[in-house]
Amino acid sequence: MASNDMIKLVTRAPASRRQFLIGAGTALAGMTLGAPAIAQSKELTIISNIGNASQREVLQRIASAYEKESGVKVAINNMDHEAHKTAIRSYLVVGAPDICFWFSGNRMKAFVQRELFDDISDLFARENYKSVLGPAAGAVTVDGRQYGLPLGGLLWGLFYRKDVFEEKGWTPPKRLEDLLTLGEKAKSAGMIPVSMGTKEMWPAAGWFDHMNLRINGLDKHMALMDGKMSYTDPAMLPVFDKWAELINAGLFSPNGTSFGWEQAAAALAQKKAAMMDLAGFIKYGFPESQQDQIAFAPFPEIIQGMARYEDFALNSIHVPKNAKNKENARDFLAYFYKPDNLAAFLETESAVPPRNDCPPSKDPLVNAAVESLKTVEGSAQYYDRDTDPDMAQEGLKGFQEFMAKPDRRDQILERLETTRKRIFKA
Amino acid sequence: MSTFWRNHRHWMAPTLFIMPGALLFAVVIILASAQTIWVSFFDWDGVGAKQWVGLANYAQLLDDPQFHVSLKNNLIWLAMFMLAPPLGLALALLLNQPIRGMRVMKSLFFVPLVLASVTVGVVFTWVYDPTFGLLSLIFSSFGATAPALLSDEHFVTFAVVVAALWPQVAFCLVLFLAGLNNLSEDLIGAGRVDGARGWPMLIHVILPQLREVSFIALAVTVIGALRSFDMVAVMTSGGPFGSSTVLAYQMYEQSIFSYRFGYGAAIATVLFVIMAVFIAWYLHTLLKPEREGV
Amino acid sequence: MYPRPLADDAPFRRFAYTSMVVLILALWLVPLMAVMATSLRSFEEVMAGNYWGWPKSFNFIENYMAVFTQTAMARYFLNSLIVTLPSVFGVLVLSTLTGYVLSRYRFRGASLMFALFVGGNFLPAQIMMIPVRDLMVSIGLYDTYYALIVFHVAFQTGFATLFMRNFIAALPDELFQAARAEGASPWQTLWHVVLPLIRPALAALAILTFTFVWNDYFWAIVLTQSDAVKPVTAGLNNLRGEWVSAWNLVAAATILVAIPPVVMFFLMQRHFIAGLTVGAVKG
């Protein structure tokens, strides 16, 4: 039987042999192509995690202009935003680029403590950045030294469609009660009051930040972030009670864990939802022609008289400690950070420029954020940027679970407390 | 030299033949895995210095509710994946007919096998989407509302496994078609003479001849179940709130997002131990007839 | 043949049977057809949530051109080929050698060695992530094509050895006895006796390995970082981030990524089935 088959196989052999040889030939050709590019003497590599196409374009344009001016060859490698979070832990240790993008605050500090970001205080002094940056410089400062340049600031708050609110005669909620009333109106209009997609987990944490900042204030919030306050502290209860009230009132998208934030933003764009809690990049979910309809309102007040504290997250750009061309990197950063270049780069994501000498923005979203920031008395960044990354992972998961199952509050807080004790050795 | 070679080639040639593959495999795969087991005894953030903690990581695992969820999900994956070989066989029996156009149809049935898991994951998220998904369209045509499978902590793992079964069944189908191609006509003829048909024929005459193929199908299915990482990462990222996490994903999450490489390594080691049980059984069964045959 | 072939003289039954198979096939491929249809849709249609209906407009050229003009997809494609083809070639060579030795020579530790090959193949990739990355760094291959090629060859050799060993073990003993009687060296036996007989197996293995390596995403992000070497799966995910909700373009890119393995499969399908067959039948 088997030998019978063998004969069949042998008679078929010529075709498969031919196929095989073609394969092998191509494979060999591949081998020679496979050699890595040889480094040129003056070059600069950048790893970008920018997802948005137009922002990538601006970066490329700035890089090309710099190339012409300096004669340094600039190579930009783009990475998917999420994949980049994985990759950066590899490349900072081995094969670092000359420049990379990351997040300021605690997430930057994690790499500074492991000596993976270069101290660029010299660049700060040379270019006199402190005089134009103001408080934003603090986000990239550890023990008085600077380890990166702050990029655009994202002010978090509620977004809505002007045309919808006008048509229905609604006004953005000033207090939590207004939010509940507005929620009822939206529901009777057949809309979801607050669009919320927690598939990537972090959007739920933004809501937590707002509630905690409004109820407990900035100092207690930061104590929690730094692991100095317990998750089972009685001060946490009103936050989760109020939040549960909103959840049980049906304020948020049903099955929120099924959607990513883009889908949630699209629901707002399509007038299926009335509001959404995000930052200026919400516009990515809107068709370009409708982006002028987006309007911003601060998160409503909860405790009367509490000073206004907000999440204001700053992305940042860094020189890895293991970069090969640190001088070129500084040179490029100085060029990139010129007011015009920086403003053009930030315009695409409607982020607030950290420099006070950037040309005034034509983007209404940026101007609304700048205007709103004037009454902000202090800011945190965002849950997963403010606390330890290990803690953040558990926290995000916990908030996601709370939004789906508010009755599990005690279990969730218990679990977060266990994690906090482990991480902060409390 | 040449006499030396001739005298010794009976063992030197095979040694030379096996060396490149064995060395490469040992250095890259075996050594790397052993290193991971070693790391599981340390507290390590992946960058700085390692600190010896003995079995502390394993002790922590026992109290970690997420670990229990992952373990349970891994078992669900394994159990449900066992559907792939019988489904593949059923499809193979259906397709093993000399009808015009059958060759093209067979090829089309194979297509899911060659799709990247990113693709399969994306497609099935569309199927399950509670607002515009295929499932919700079907439900609403009956006037009902579809459950949001990927948001439900009880259903989510099953939903992901169903998606993963799609290419896996195609894989088993391919293997069984190959097996059916090579059945012994003599035995089938003898069976028919004895009046065997239907189930008895399948069970007593056909399946024994498909033993080797079934074995490979089982192997690729178990491998598939344990490589569940991609589908989980693409479809749910382990959510909602960790309820669809499997060991491979939890290990990744702990190492990458929480900087706990030692802990992640401990999870990987547990996965490895579970696997080792299966590998041992598999090899035992695979090699037994040969040992007896000698 | 089993099941018993449908009778030639029952045209109605044959027709009914074919219709049933076509129906099942249609259901089987519904998810894939949704991707294809979506790759033709306009952005507005996707925003409106039409994923399953007939496309309202056909944007074949726009969408597929956008994939190539707006992104480095062409580069990623080339990278994937440069990684995949040598990997497949390397796996075939190494596993033929290991499979031949493990099936035809009895020596101490043979079973253990085989067990390691098979066992390693069952390992989840994540377990090796950090050590493999460090290894590639220390030998200077990190972020080059070689890093991916070396890893894929090593890893796939496990499965391939299992496959080739079974296949070669199924070849009749008489062939090898005859070769030995004629004084053929091991090399000659391999080259003149084994190789001609295992071509179908090589074809089958080539397709499987091609598919596995081509579709790999995990190692692509662990071992590479530059666009110059990044394979197409990493590129595809890159697009998912870039075109936040432009699922029509993502779908087009997805289809493009799937084309090479599908084509490869169709071209070699005959050999593929034949190759899988023989290993399964013994004596």
Side-chain angles (χ1 to χ4, degrees):
Chain A
M1 168 63 217
S3 53
N4 201 4
D5 256 313
M6 220 73 71
I7 293 162
K8 269 191 266 164
L9 295 180
V10 173
T11 51
R12 270 186 210 148
S16 67
R17 180 187 167 85
R18 199 172 58 235
Q19 295 284 4
F20 184 71
L21 286 179
I22 292 170
T26 332
L28 288 176
M31 287 289 193
T32 49
L33 275 173
I38 295 161
Q40 292 191 357
S41 54
K42 278 192 105 184
E43 67 164 19
L44 190 77
T45 51
I46 301 175
I47 290 188
S48 117
N49 62 348
I50 300 164
N52 181 259
S54 44
Q55 195 168 31
R56 280 186 184 182
E57 252 166 59
V58 175
L59 179 64
Q60 187 60 57
R61 208 179 63 222
I62 296 173
S64 306
Y66 174 75
E67 232 170 36
K68 252 184 229 140
E69 206 164 284
S70 66
V72 176
K73 175 130 186 46
V74 184
I76 302 175
N77 294 309
N78 288 306
M79 255 180 219
D80 166 55
H81 194 79
E82 294 302 317
H84 176 256
K85 290 178 188 167
T86 310
I88 192 169
R89 289 156 172 83
S90 288
Y91 73 62
L92 286 183
V93 184
V94 298
D98 299 310
I99 286 173
C100 68
F101 288 79
W102 193 234
F103 312 103
S104 68
N106 237 358
R107 284 168 93 172
M108 176 195 87
K109 214 168 126 192
F111 289 136
V112 171
Q113 280 163 347
R114 294 175 172 92
E115 298 191 5
L116 293 171
F117 280 151
D118 207 31
D119 178 352
I120 56 166
S121 304
D122 53 323
L123 181 68
F124 257 74
R126 192 170 84 205
E127 301 283 330
N128 202 10
Y129 284 145
K130 273 189 193 158
S131 65
V132 292
L133 279 178
V140 290
T141 304
V142 178
D143 295 333
R145 319 217 38 101
Q146 287 75 41
Y147 293 89
L149 291 174
L151 294 175
L154 305 169
L155 179 65
W156 297 74
L158 293 180
F159 289 83
Y160 59 92
R161 278 191 75 117
K162 274 183 228 162
D163 50 357
V164 171
F165 270 53
E166 256 162 48
E167 183 199 314
K168 314 256 182 202
W170 295 344
T171 47
K174 290 262 183 307
R175 301 188 39 79
L176 203 65
E177 295 77 57
D178 305 339
L179 182 63
L180 281 164
T181 335
L182 186 61
E184 288 310 316
K185 288 184 199 158
K187 276 194 284 181
S188 50
M191 292 168 86
I192 298 162
V194 177
S195 196
M196 176 71 84
T198 60
K199 189 175 178 192
E200 292 103 350
M201 300 201 292
W202 56 260
W207 199 270
F208 168 79
D209 282 355
H210 284 310
M211 302 279 296
N212 198 33
L213 286 169
R214 290 287 181 273
I215 292 173
N216 284 320
L218 185 61
D219 291 345
K220 278 193 183 163
H221 182 69
M222 288 322 284
L224 185 76
M225 297 300 104
D226 293 336
K228 290 176 187 136
M229 185 174 146
S230 164
Y231 277 86
T232 48
D233 192 290
M236 300 308 295
L237 292 182
V239 176
F240 285 92
D241 284 342
K242 285 272 182 222
W243 195 359
E245 204 179 306
L246 303 179
I247 295 167
N248 293 330
L251 223 57
F252 302 102
S253 313
N255 302 316
T257 57
S258 281
F259 315 112
W261 69 267
E262 306 100 326
Q263 261 180 292
L268 184 69
Q270 293 155 16
K271 308 185 184 178
K272 288 177 188 155
M275 282 172 291
M276 182 166 173
D277 178 31
L278 211 71
F281 61 90
I282 193 169
K283 70 177 184 186
Y284 295 160
F286 282 68
E288 206 153 326
S289 57
Q290 294 174 34
Q291 286 178 356
D292 56 350
Q293 290 299 336
I294 310 170
F296 170 87
F299 193 85
E301 192 181 53
I302 299 178
I303 302 232
Q304 210 143 21
M306 173 64 78
R308 192 173 154 225
Y309 304 113
E310 299 289 1
D311 268 349
F312 183 61
L314 285 160
N315 292 339
S316 50
I317 186 165
H318 305 268
V319 179
K321 187 93 174 176
N322 299 327
K324 289 177 203 75
N325 308 296
K326 289 187 190 175
E327 272 321 301
N328 282 353
R330 281 168 169 70
D331 202 37
F332 174 80
L333 282 186
Y335 184 85
F336 171 79
Y337 217 59
K338 285 182 181 171
D340 288 338
N341 287 340
L342 184 64
F345 178 77
L346 297 178
E347 184 90 28
T348 51
E349 59 174 350
S350 291
V352 178
R355 295 183 71 131
N356 56 25
D357 55 352
C358 278
S361 174
K362 288 181 217 74
D363 186 336
L365 285 178
V366 175
N367 292 330
V370 171
E371 196 53 41
S372 184
L373 274 168
K374 288 178 182 159
T375 59
V376 172
E377 298 194 25
S379 67
Q381 286 224 34
Y382 199 84
Y383 186 84
D384 63 355
R385 302 184 188 211
D386 289 325
T387 194
D388 177 275
D390 190 357
M391 184 70 232
Q393 189 65 21
E394 276 306 310
L396 297 186
K397 208 184 275 180
F399 300 142
Q400 187 199 34
E401 181 166 4
F402 181 77
M403 290 206 71
K405 309 272 170 188
D407 49 313
R408 290 192 196 156
R409 182 190 72 188
D410 296 341
Q411 274 162 271
I412 295 170
L413 290 178
E414 208 56 62
R415 209 171 59 220
L416 293 187
E417 179 57 15
T418 315
T419 310
R420 181 188 75 90
K421 280 190 186 141
R422 172 172 61 72
I423 294 166
F424 297 98
K425 319 262 186 246
Chain B
M1 181 62 204
S2 94
T3 39
F4 176 81
W5 171 244
R6 198 155 303 166
N7 287 337
H8 291 278
R9 79 177 180 200
H10 66 278
W11 65 270
M12 280 186 68
T15 311
L16 282 177
F17 286 174
I18 207 166
M19 268 321 217
L23 268 182
L24 186 66
F25 195 77
V27 169
V28 180
I29 308 299
I30 309 281
L31 208 65
S33 307
Q35 261 177 299
T36 294
I37 297 175
W38 179 240
V39 167
S40 76
F41 300 111
F42 290 88
D43 188 9
W44 186 39
D45 63 4
V47 179
K50 298 188 186 77
Q51 196 195 343
W52 176 267
V53 293
L55 292 172
N57 285 326
Y58 293 93
Q60 248 175 54
L61 269 184
L62 293 178
D63 293 333
D64 184 348
Q66 182 64 67
F67 175 70
H68 298 145
V69 172
S70 308
L71 200 58
K72 189 191 83 194
N73 285 338
N74 260 83
L75 295 178
I76 295 177
W77 269 85
L78 269 176
M80 279 185 72
F81 251 48
M82 287 305 138
L83 288 174
L87 287 175
L89 176 61
L91 272 180
L93 291 174
L94 178 78
L95 295 180
N96 199 30
Q97 282 286 351
I99 292 180
R100 231 155 55 97
M102 198 53 108
R103 181 185 292 279
V104 178
M105 286 197 275
K106 279 180 197 166
S107 312
L108 290 172
F109 267 100
F110 301 159
V111 166
L113 169 62
V114 297
L115 299 178
S117 40
V118 180
T119 311
V120 177
V122 167
V123 175
F124 272 84
T125 1
W126 293 354
V127 173
Y128 294 139
D129 189 289
T131 48
F132 59 73
L134 183 63
L135 206 62
S136 79
L137 292 183
I138 294 171
F139 268 72
S140 62
S141 70
F142 290 107
T145 315
L149 291 178
L150 295 184
S151 288
D152 189 302
E153 55 185 328
H154 302 296
F155 291 134
V156 63
T157 296
F158 295 97
V160 176
V161 179
V162 167
L165 271 173
W166 190 43
Q168 193 63 35
V169 170
F171 201 166
C172 292
L173 163 68
V174 168
L175 293 171
F176 281 116
L177 268 180
L180 289 175
N181 226 0
N182 234 30
L183 293 175
S184 151
E185 292 296 337
D186 298 351
L187 287 177
I188 296 179
R192 287 197 174 123
V193 168
D194 290 344
R197 46 199 300 243
W199 281 110
M201 179 76 163
L202 180 65
I203 289 165
H204 297 296
V205 181
I206 305 300
L207 284 185
Q209 296 189 62
L210 293 176
R211 183 177 176 276
E212 300 276 333
V213 159
S214 311
F215 226 69
I216 297 197
L218 187 65
V220 297
T221 300
V222 171
I223 294 174
L226 294 162
R227 283 194 188 152
S228 32
F229 175 85
D230 293 9
M231 295 295 285
V232 172
V234 172
M235 290 183 72
T236 65
S237 310
F241 33 94
S243 55
S244 63
T245 303
V246 290
L247 290 176
Y249 189 80
Q250 195 191 354
M251 184 236 157
Y252 173 80
E253 191 184 58
Q254 286 296 325
S255 307
I256 295 302
F257 295 115
S258 305
Y259 297 86
R260 301 174 77 194
F261 283 86
Y263 194 63
I267 298 172
T269 307
V270 171
L271 186 53
F272 173 71
V273 170
I274 297 172
M275 212 78 105
V277 174
F278 178 79
I279 297 170
W281 169 81
Y282 186 79
L283 286 170
H284 180 74
T285 324
L286 183 72
L287 295 175
K288 194 166 65 180
E290 286 169 26
R291 246 179 275 130
E292 285 164 357
V294 174
Chain C
M1 212 177 159
Y2 183 88
R4 192 191 291 270
L6 291 172
D8 281 332
D9 54 1
F12 179 74
R13 281 196 60 194
R14 288 178 74 93
F15 176 75
Y17 195 88
T18 314
S19 314
M20 180 179 70
V21 173
V22 169
L23 185 72
I24 295 174
L25 178 65
L27 288 175
W28 184 244
L29 291 182
V30 159
L32 188 65
M33 290 190 284
V35 184
M36 285 177 151
T38 298
S39 76
L40 303 175
R41 297 178 206 280
S42 65
F43 181 64
E44 284 72 28
E45 204 179 324
V46 174
M47 286 298 275
N50 182 11
Y51 287 75
W52 300 97
W54 192 252
K56 293 200 180 75
S57 60
F58 291 88
N59 303 277
F60 177 76
I61 296 173
E62 295 93 307
N63 290 355
Y64 283 82
M65 280 306 282
V67 173
F68 282 106
T69 53
Q70 291 180 20
T71 72
M73 216 53 183
R75 174 77 238 176
Y76 299 146
F77 255 95
L78 189 63
N79 293 342
S80 268
L81 283 175
I82 292 171
V83 167
T84 309
L85 293 176
S87 299
V88 171
F89 180 72
V91 169
L92 295 186
V93 170
L94 292 186
S95 63
T96 304
L97 291 170
T98 52
Y100 172 56
V101 173
L102 286 173
S103 63
R104 288 288 147 191
Y105 290 87
R106 308 210 170 272
F107 56 96
R108 237 183 337 168
S111 292
L112 176 70
M113 197 179 265
F114 183 54
L116 285 175
F117 273 120
V118 178
N121 181 55
F122 282 80
L123 292 173
Q126 290 71 35
I127 194 179
M128 294 166 268
M129 174 173 72
I130 301 303
V132 165
R133 182 202 72 191
D134 292 349
L135 175 77
M136 293 304 172
V137 170
S138 63
I139 54 178
L141 295 186
Y142 176 75
D143 198 29
T144 67
Y145 297 125
Y146 295 115
L148 287 172
I149 295 171
V150 167
F151 177 78
H152 285 308
V153 170
F155 191 61
Q156 298 298 339
T157 295
F159 175 72
T161 298
L162 166 69
F163 190 91
M164 292 309 287
R165 181 198 164 277
N166 282 359
F167 198 95
I168 298 174
L171 299 177
D173 273 333
E174 300 83 50
L175 283 173
F176 293 88
Q177 281 157 13
R180 213 170 302 145
E182 283 173 32
S185 71
W187 176 251
Q188 286 166 325
T189 312
L190 179 64
W191 190 256
H192 294 293
V193 178
V194 177
L195 209 56
L197 294 176
I198 59 168
R199 279 192 192 128
L202 289 174
L205 201 53
I207 294 180
L208 286 180
T209 314
F210 186 94
T211 310
F212 293 151
V213 175
W214 182 272
N215 287 339
D216 163 70
Y217 169 61
F218 183 76
W219 292 102
I221 59 172
V222 171
L223 295 179
T224 66
Q225 65 183 51
S226 328
D227 280 3
V229 295
K230 196 181 289 167
V232 79
T233 40
L236 179 63
N237 224 45
N238 221 336
L239 297 188
R240 289 180 64 200
E242 182 174 344
W243 293 324
V244 173
S245 36
W247 284 102
N248 50 342
L249 301 190
V250 174
T254 305
I255 296 288
L256 285 172
V257 171
I259 286 176
V262 170
V263 167
M264 173 108 179
F265 199 88
F266 273 63
L267 283 180
M268 296 178 88
Q269 192 216 9
R270 238 156 52 100
H271 313 294
F272 180 64
I273 292 282
L276 288 170
T277 312
V278 179
V281 175
K282 298 183 71 176

